[in-house]
Amino acid sequence: MAIDYERAMAAYKIGAEAGDSTSQYQLGSMYCNGTGVAVDYTVARAWLEKAAAQDIPESFVMLGTMAIRGERMAPS
C-alpha cells in the first residue's frame, strides 16, 4: 500500500497549526527527513521546537541529532 505523503502532510499541518504536539513533531520530522517533501531544516526546527515546548521527547532527540550533525538551521 502506497503512502499518500501529500495527504499526510496536509493533515499534519492542520493539526500542527491548531497546536497538536504530535502533529507538530510529525510535520517537523517530515521536513527534517525529506519524507514526501523537500528537506528544509529551518521549517523542521520550527515545528520540532513547538513540539519540544509541549514535552514531546522525540522532538528533543531529533533537534539534538540535527545539531550534532551540523545541519544548517536558521536561529529561531
Side-chain angles (χ1 to χ4, degrees):
M1 176 180 204
I3 297 172
D4 186 344
Y5 291 112
E6 186 175 326
R7 189 171 171 187
M9 177 68 73
Y12 286 136
K13 188 166 185 175
I14 289 168
E17 289 174 346
D20 179 68
S21 58
T22 300
S23 295
Q24 292 167 345
Y25 167 74
Q26 292 294 344
L27 196 56
S29 177
M30 290 178 82
Y31 276 106
C32 183
N33 295 318
T35 307
V37 66
V39 171
D40 187 329
Y41 295 124
T42 301
V43 173
R45 179 180 178 183
W47 286 117
L48 291 168
E49 285 180 345
K50 288 176 186 282
Q54 296 188 64
D55 296 324
I56 299 298
E58 297 87 352
S59 59
F60 291 101
V61 173
M62 189 164 281
L63 286 166
T65 300
M66 290 170 68
I68 289 168
R69 290 182 181 165
E71 289 157 341
R72 297 172 126 323
M73 304 177 285
S76 58

